[in-house]
Amino acid sequence: MRLEFDRFTVVLDACVLFPMFTRDVLLTLADHGFYNPKWSDRIHAEWTVNLISRLQASGVAVNPSAQIDAVRRTMDRAFPDALIRNVPPDSGAVLPVDPKDRHVVMAAVAVRADAIVTFNLKDFAVDHLHAELSIEVIHPDSFVRDLIDLNETRAAGAFRELRARKRHPPWEVGELIERARRSGLQQTAAWLEGEDIRRLL
């Protein structure tokens, strides 16, 4: 995917908002002006319900619903134009897409998004959406690396800010890199490991 620094519009699928680290990386880069993030109420519902279920299954003592709802509200306040309020019904153009993911594509259609970022590439009929709707479907690792290529120094500043927010406990640079690797952001982790970049973090 060829990106330009023109505030292109990207729909974030629930599966990239569900993991804390991936969500933090994507939203921090958006906050630094790399792109316009978008999501719908249904996307919000998917990632929050799944995260609540995961935490409850892990045996957390406190009901996490209020905390996760607070994260959702914080996202909407931080990006007041991100919530797509009028998502049209499925159209014939999205029939090759897995039925459970068609609403994500229709959200992208509603805002004329340039791309959808998702871990689930196989469910999105990638070639079809590119050819028929001019929507790129891209893995978050590839997307982040594309953003980095636009301006490495600016991207390093975004990661430095992300790390600075982690205080309980604080994250060393190695922790940041390892979390990127564990989150499936392998290319991003390799970039963070570079000697010239580590010193900027």
Side-chain angles (χ1 to χ4, degrees):
M1 181 178 181
R2 184 175 178 80
L3 303 181
E4 304 287 347
F5 235 147
D6 60 357
R7 296 288 289 174
F8 49 90
T9 298
V10 176
V11 171
L12 302 177
D13 192 12
C15 63
V16 301
L17 295 173
F18 171 83
M20 181 198 74
F21 183 83
T22 307
R23 181 174 68 246
D24 278 356
V25 168
L26 292 171
L27 296 185
T28 300
L29 290 167
D31 191 50
H32 279 247
F34 280 90
Y35 72 100
N36 289 315
K38 296 287 185 179
W39 47 71
S40 66
D41 279 326
R42 185 167 172 183
I43 290 171
H44 261 326
E46 284 188 1
W47 79 262
T48 55
V49 168
N50 288 338
L51 184 53
I52 289 168
S53 297
R54 171 73 63 85
L55 291 173
Q56 289 175 334
S58 70
V60 293
V62 179
N63 188 332
S65 299
Q67 182 179 359
I68 293 171
D69 188 58
V71 173
R72 170 183 172 155
R73 292 197 307 272
T74 298
M75 289 168 57
D76 287 337
R77 284 196 303 269
F79 302 99
D81 296 325
L83 184 63
I84 305 166
R85 300 185 182 278
N86 296 303
V87 178
D90 294 355
S91 73
V94 300
L95 289 179
V97 178
D98 189 290
K100 66 180 175 54
D101 293 309
R102 289 173 186 165
H103 71 96
V104 181
V105 180
M106 295 312 299
V109 169
V111 294
R112 298 182 179 179
D114 300 288
I116 295 167
V117 175
T118 181
F119 282 109
N120 299 325
L121 299 180
K122 63 180 177 59
D123 294 334
F124 275 89
V126 174
D127 293 340
H128 172 81
L129 293 184
H130 177 71
E132 297 298 322
L133 297 175
S134 298
I135 297 173
E136 299 280 354
V137 183
I138 187 168
H139 189 282
D141 194 24
S142 298
F143 179 61
V144 171
R145 282 299 284 123
D146 282 343
L147 298 182
I148 289 166
D149 287 343
L150 293 175
N151 189 320
E152 279 199 335
T153 302
R154 188 169 175 176
F159 277 95
R160 182 171 62 249
E161 179 192 290
L162 187 158
R163 189 171 75 85
R165 293 199 305 265
K166 306 302 180 180
R167 299 177 180 175
H168 305 291
W171 288 5
E172 299 298 330
V173 172
E175 174 78 4
L176 177 69
I177 294 168
E178 182 56 29
R179 284 178 178 266
R181 186 173 291 112
R182 292 202 307 263
S183 298
L185 306 183
Q186 304 295 335
Q187 299 175 68
T188 303
W191 175 76
L192 291 167
E193 279 188 308
E195 185 176 343
D196 291 345
I197 300 303
R198 287 183 74 113
R199 68 168 60 103
L200 299 176
L201 302 174

